[in-house]
Amino acid sequence: MPVPWFLLSLALGRNPVVLSLERVVGPEDTARCSPGLSCHLWDGDVLCLPGSLVSAPGPVLVPTRLQTELVLRCYEETDCDLCVRVTVHLAVHGYWEEPEDEAKFGRAADPEFVVPTNASLQAHIVLSFQAYPTARCVLLEVQVPAALVQPGQSVGSVVFDCFGAALGAEVRIWSYTQPRYQKELNLTQQLPDCKGLEVRDSIQSCWALPWLNVSADGDDVRLVLDVSEEQRFGLSLYWNQVQGPAKPWWHRNLTGPQTITLNHTDLVPCLCIQVWPLEPDSVRTSICPFREDPRAHRNLWRAARLQLLPPRGWRLEAPCSLPAEATLCWQAPDGGPCQPLVPPLPRENVTVNKALEFPLLKGHPNVCVQVSTWEKLQLQECLWAASLGPLKDDVLLVEKRGPQDNRSLCALEPSGCTPLLSRASTRAARLGEQLLQDVQSGQCLQLWDDDLGALWACPMDKYIHQRWALVWLACLLFGAVLFLLLLLKKNHVKAAARSRAALLLYSADDAAFERLVGALASALCQLPLRVAVDLWSRRALSAQGPLAWFHAQRRQTLQDGGVVVLLFSPGAVALCREWLQDATSAPGAHGPHDAFAASLSCVLPDFLQGRAPGRYVGAYFDRLLSPDAVPALFRCVPVFSLPSQMPDFLGTLQGPAAPRPRRLAERAQQVSRALQPAVDGCLRAPGAPGLGRRVGPEAGDRT
């Protein structure tokens, strides 16, 4: 039974208190003011264009605070919609300015200038409303009589009825003037759902709204939609972006009831769920339940990537917004900590998926980007290393410029910035004069320059290798001879002691089978064997692609004298038969991490051309697959049934390094015991003794 993580109806607000709402009759929008003010609502919506800030010519009327209230807009007694009433509090900002001194024009300034006391104020207030997937902007014209115009004082408020919104939606509201005299006000609010309001009899969409429960099932998350069997509804998963529109991720039309399984690695804080009945004019209701989930925040940073945009641009790519700061640092090739270049270069706030510019003249492989939050380093990458080569043994010189052309140079080292020509015992201090000459002669690369200083990258190779080249050569020759002697003398000992490599290939039929493969890989690592499996290489698999990852692992495994293990399951057998029936085309589309499907293009040719014996071993699990289900093509290599043939299987994997039969039998029992819970889990899975149907976003169409 899954353990409840948290139960919520779709679009449940933060405060699930039952509210009773005021009713507003009629479809028309209205506006009203506090006593003393006059206001007018312009017909129709206006364009949402805040414009640039301008200086106020004198006292102006500006919004100071936003306040919202939920009401019901009713067309009949039982036909209502949820609506957001917005109250904008107003105040007078600024003062009357005296006219400029007219003496410059040949006339004396008027000493009897009087501040106007009978001038009223008029303002155009814009209200901008956004709730995925709709947005509106309305214009309110407000006039304040002269008696209430007191700079710095509140004059009252204007109330707008009202913005229609979906139950459970997240709404964002902005307010500003036209022209804009100050930064716009903004407010974000999560609306409650049908269960949080006394509206079940008033809003028809609540009568048949699908209800959703979210619960944890091990590492996965279950979305259980509790609806009748006949009801059809739409379900959409999307990334709610702070900058820009929401990004759809997965969408399906379903018939209830349904259970959707999400892998915990797919959770990110901005992942939201939207559901609606498949009926005309139905209400779409949304919730973002993973905002505070620690796993979602960890996944977000794992998915974040730094990308170089030539010639000097870069970008932080991530599915959600990240409150982070970025700075440049200098990474020495000795593997020490990357030293931030702050000062002289400042920190910079990062906006995800937006191109940023390096404040540098030229790139260098040792210049890296650090992204951190709350003083914790999250990402670091040397973006130029791919295009300009590996890290160089250069020293970074920091030039500081003061008044009267006063300049000083220091070398950035692990101990700090060491002044050149000092008596310090560091490498840069000993070579201070030579480094100064290199800067003056143009042998150093200038990375940054402004009025306060500059950065120089000076090569150190010629100084390091000049004196010790012959000594190092002699040491290398001596070491090589000694190594060869030891290798010839103890070759058999090393061959026996070295653990053999094994690459596991399998078809990810479902989560239970993946756990079984993970248990087998963990148990084999204790033999010892050096095991490679895509379950432990998700990040590399996503970065390289399944085919490139398999090629690299297969080449390394075979070069090390290892063996490739084919784990047969119903899904793997189906993929092999599909490939063999139409060898001119690759199998159909599979999951983004399915290395087995990607590997068939080079695994099957090895078997067809007789190169498989000695390189491959086959295996299948008892009661999960019939022995005769393994295609005949693969029987040219040993195929073992697990765990019944575990001793022979382990002996073949370990090869010459296999222990004696008694010790091998003990290890086989240990591995079998470790596998038994996972095998039982597969047998209990839906569709056993086969493997159950995978349910989740991977099985649907992502948009």
Side-chain angles (χ1 to χ4, degrees), residues 20-24 32 69-74 85 161:
S20 180
L21 303 183
E22 177 186 341
R23 291 172 175 256
V24 176
R32 63 182 185 276
E69 179 184 357
L70 296 182
V71 296
L72 289 178
R73 167 166 281 170
C74 296
R85 172 184 290 166
D161 278 334

Side-chain angles (χ1 to χ4, degrees), residues 31-42 60-63 88-92 120-127 139-145 148-149 155-160 175-178:
R32 63 182 185 276
C33 304
S34 56
L37 306 183
S38 61
C39 56
H40 169 68
L41 173 64
W42 282 38
V60 292
L61 193 63
V62 295
V88 185
H89 296 268
L90 305 171
V92 177
S120 61
L121 291 182
Q122 181 176 326
H124 291 95
I125 308 295
V126 177
L127 281 178
L139 183 63
L140 303 170
E141 185 178 301
V142 183
Q143 188 165 359
V144 182
L148 297 180
V149 178
V155 297
S157 60
V158 58
V159 179
F160 172 76
S175 180
Y176 51 88
T177 59
Q178 282 189 348

Side-chain angles (χ1 to χ4, degrees), residues 171-326:
V171 300
R172 297 187 178 96
I173 304 172
W174 293 267
S175 180
Y176 51 88
T177 59
Q178 282 189 348
R180 189 160 63 94
Y181 299 118
Q182 66 178 17
K183 184 177 180 181
E184 61 267 22
L185 299 179
N186 64 83
L187 176 67
T188 301
Q189 183 176 1
Q190 182 74 42
L191 303 185
D193 71 338
C194 294
K195 290 184 178 179
L197 301 170
E198 290 184 355
V199 296
R200 295 297 297 272
D201 297 331
S202 303
I203 299 181
Q204 296 180 3
S205 60
C206 289
W207 301 351
L209 186 68
W211 300 108
L212 177 75
N213 291 331
V214 181
S215 61
D217 183 14
D219 288 337
D220 297 330
V221 174
R222 282 188 175 182
L223 310 179
V224 181
L225 290 109
D226 184 14
V227 295
S228 62
E229 294 183 1
E230 298 80 11
Q231 183 177 353
R232 299 182 69 248
F233 59 92
L235 179 67
S236 176
L237 303 180
Y238 64 94
W239 291 327
N240 190 25
Q241 306 283 350
V242 174
Q243 299 92 12
K247 184 177 180 181
W249 181 54
W250 183 77
H251 166 80
R252 288 187 69 180
N253 293 334
L254 303 170
T255 301
Q258 287 284 344
T259 299
I260 308 297
T261 301
L262 296 179
N263 193 298
H264 71 95
T265 58
D266 294 328
L267 304 183
V268 290
C270 64
L271 179 61
C272 300
I273 309 165
Q274 187 178 81
V275 67
W276 65 96
L278 293 179
E279 299 173 357
D281 302 324
S282 61
V283 176
R284 294 195 176 206
T285 317
S286 303
I287 186 62
C288 305
F290 308 111
R291 290 175 178 168
E292 307 300 329
D293 192 331
R295 296 180 300 178
H297 285 272
R298 289 194 297 268
N299 292 338
L300 178 58
W301 279 111
R302 292 191 187 106
R305 295 289 184 273
L306 290 170
Q307 180 184 12
L308 178 66
L309 303 175
R312 296 191 306 274
W314 67 282
R315 177 171 57 211
L316 175 62
E317 295 183 340
C320 310
S321 61
L322 291 168
E325 287 185 335

Side-chain angles (χ1 to χ4, degrees), residues 620-623 641-647 668 671-673 675-676 679:
Y620 61 91
F621 293 99
D622 296 339
R623 294 187 292 170
S641 176
L642 304 181
S644 60
Q645 295 179 334
M646 186 66 72
V671 175
S672 299
R673 285 195 297 269
L675 290 182
Q676 195 59 47
V679 172

